[in-house]
Amino acid sequence: MTSNVTVGGLEKVSGVSPVTLSEDWSRVARLLVIVCLAVIGSVGNVYMISAIMIEDHLKKRGNTFMANVALADLLVTGVVMPASAVVILAGIKDSPLSAVCSLQWCLSIVCWLVTILSLLATAGENYARLCLSPHCYASLTQGRITLLMLAIWAVSGVMVALQFHLDLVPDYCSTKSTSILPYQATAAVLCLVLPGLVTLALYLRIILQVRLARANPSFKPPIAFNWDYSLMKTNLYSFFLFFLFWLPFGIVLCLASRKKTSALVFYNLAWLALGKSCVNNILYCVCNRHFRNAYINLFHYCCCKTTVTFSRRSRAEAVRPTGDVRVHIIPGYNMYSYTSPQRAGREASKSPGKRSNAGRTRPNCRDVYEL
């Protein structure tokens, strides 16, 4: 059974931990939930980053900001959540538990701030790509994008580290005080409200300008424009998803300074907010076909291959068993590709008087994925 104790603005419930959640659940149940979230989220975020790297239609310098969001989500699912699983397995309590909670809370805020700033940068890049001239978009070079990404991480890390050092962030772990100071309210406006409004305004402006352009009968955009516009809408959905998961926790965090709030509700909403890192990559798979195609190719590469080779195999070993599908990350080393020199040599030796089909490509129904 749990008992309620009022501490600060939270009605603290004994047996409820910000790291290991409610003890009303068994250790096995809590461990399974956290491990499943961590594994699904980590694999999905790795897929999302890899999709931007391997899919031709996604290999655009501006999409680096989406990879930055996925990287921040990967830190949550790959570090924050596994830390809770380790705590449950080890049965850590008291002082070490508080240290783990502080580390999780600090890293979560850094990733949260990186995400909101990266969403803002993504909206600005989409606006430049769809609504401005190619000359203006060309000024957004790879070097500038890299510097902006590094600046986002540096600013987020320094701001959070200073606030933790000066004890200016709301106390999430010990719940001794959850009051929102004027400084914290100002920081929330500058780091959340203002970037959120600017991001929403940019997306609304893109939609308005595209609709006005399409109303003109002479407007015939290339197919790449339609692909970019579809990706922009997926980015907009990701922006809404971020606020959908984090806004309930933010509201409860503000209300906890004025009236009693159940710690059970408080911490469950905090974990709901962290769950956004597990869902965002799925959203891109569902809403965008290029991400979906990349996910399918990655799935085949990771799950449907029989062997992985890192060096050339001798011709005697290159006999392909019936029904065997092999995937190699280096196209030239793929013995079974219709464009490989090894296949061309075998075909030429078998039928020297006939024209070889080794140079032909199979755009559809191919069973070898070369990433």
Side-chain angles (χ1 to χ4, degrees):
M1 297 295 292
T2 59
S3 58
N4 299 342
V5 180
T6 302
V7 179
L10 292 181
E11 187 180 356
K12 188 175 181 180
V13 182
S14 60
V16 177
S17 169
V19 178
T20 59
L21 299 180
S22 176
E23 293 183 358
D24 290 340
W25 292 16
S26 65
R27 286 183 63 189
V28 175
R30 285 179 288 159
L31 182 63
L32 287 177
V33 169
I34 293 175
V35 169
C36 288
L37 288 175
V39 171
I40 294 174
S42 298
V43 172
N45 289 316
V46 170
Y47 267 40
M48 183 174 174
I49 297 173
S50 301
I52 297 174
M53 297 174 62
I54 68 170
E55 178 64 31
D56 292 336
H57 302 294
L58 298 175
K59 288 182 180 179
K60 297 183 178 180
R61 56 184 181 273
N63 293 340
T64 310
F65 296 118
M66 292 188 299
N68 205 35
V69 174
L71 180 59
D73 290 337
L74 184 60
L75 287 178
V76 173
T77 58
V79 178
V80 175
M81 293 181 179
S84 293
V86 172
V87 168
I88 293 176
L89 284 173
I92 300 176
K93 295 182 180 180
D94 302 329
S95 180
L97 182 62
S98 178
V100 172
C101 180
S102 298
L103 177 62
Q104 287 180 309
W105 181 230
C106 179
L107 187 58
S108 298
I109 296 179
V110 171
C111 294
W112 170 83
L113 190 55
V114 168
T115 300
I116 190 64
L117 295 179
S118 297
L119 290 174
L120 174 60
T122 301
E125 189 274 339
N126 290 167
Y127 178 78
R129 187 192 304 182
L130 293 171
C131 300
L132 299 182
S133 64
H135 176 72
C136 294
Y137 183 71
S139 62
L140 190 64
T141 61
Q142 293 181 354
R144 293 180 178 179
I145 290 177
T146 302
L147 289 176
L148 182 56
M149 287 181 55
L150 294 177
I152 288 175
W153 281 99
V155 170
S156 302
V158 170
M159 286 184 61
V160 174
L162 287 176
Q163 292 186 52
F164 267 86
H165 179 71
L166 300 176
D167 199 18
L168 294 175
V169 294
D171 196 335
Y172 171 79
C173 299
S174 63
T175 67
K176 293 179 180 179
S177 173
T178 57
S179 60
I180 304 298
L181 301 176
Y183 165 79
Q184 297 165 352
T186 303
V189 171
L190 294 177
C191 298
L192 177 63
V193 178
L194 185 60
L197 291 177
V198 174
T199 302
L200 183 60
L202 287 171
Y203 282 129
L204 292 178
R205 176 152 189 149
I206 294 173
I207 295 174
L208 179 61
Q209 289 193 227
V210 171
R211 287 188 176 182
L212 291 176
R214 285 179 172 176
N216 187 354
S218 62
F219 179 71
K220 295 181 180 180
I223 190 170
F225 178 88
N226 295 327
W227 290 340
D228 290 339
Y229 186 67
S230 175
L231 182 58
M232 183 279 299
K233 291 192 290 185
T234 306
N235 292 332
L236 178 60
Y237 301 151
S238 176
F239 171 74
F240 286 140
L241 185 73
F242 173 80
F243 279 90
L244 179 65
F245 275 78
W246 276 96
L247 193 58
F249 173 69
I251 293 174
V252 171
L253 182 64
C254 295
L255 293 178
S257 62
R258 296 188 174 274
K259 64 178 183 179
K260 298 177 183 178
T261 303
S262 172
L264 182 62
V265 174
F266 184 79
Y267 292 138
N268 285 342
L269 288 178
W271 274 87
L272 174 65
L274 295 179
K276 175 264 173 189
S277 300
C278 304
V279 179
N280 187 62
N281 53 82
I282 301 176
L283 174 70
Y284 277 88
C285 178
V286 172
C287 298
N288 188 269
R289 69 169 184 168
H290 294 138
F291 272 100
R292 188 160 54 249
N293 292 337
Y295 279 29
I296 293 173
N297 291 344
L298 286 167
F299 175 80
H300 278 281
Y301 175 72
C302 296
C303 303
C304 299
K305 66 177 185 286
T306 57
T307 58
V308 178
T309 59
F310 296 97
S311 60
R312 289 186 181 272
R313 302 167 62 186
S314 63
R315 292 181 181 273
E317 297 176 352
V319 179
R320 183 182 183 185
T322 304
D324 188 15
V325 178
R326 299 181 185 272
V327 182
H328 297 263
I329 195 169
I330 304 177
Y333 286 15
N334 194 337
M335 302 296 182
Y336 312 114
S337 172
Y338 285 86
T339 60
S340 67
Q342 294 87 350
R343 179 64 178 262
R346 291 198 304 271
E347 293 291 339
S349 62
K350 289 181 180 178
S351 54
K354 297 182 180 180
R355 183 179 179 182
S356 174
N357 294 327
R360 299 178 184 178
T361 59
R362 298 180 62 196
N364 298 320
C365 303
R366 63 176 183 173
D367 59 353
V368 179
Y369 293 88
E370 300 174 356
L371 306 183

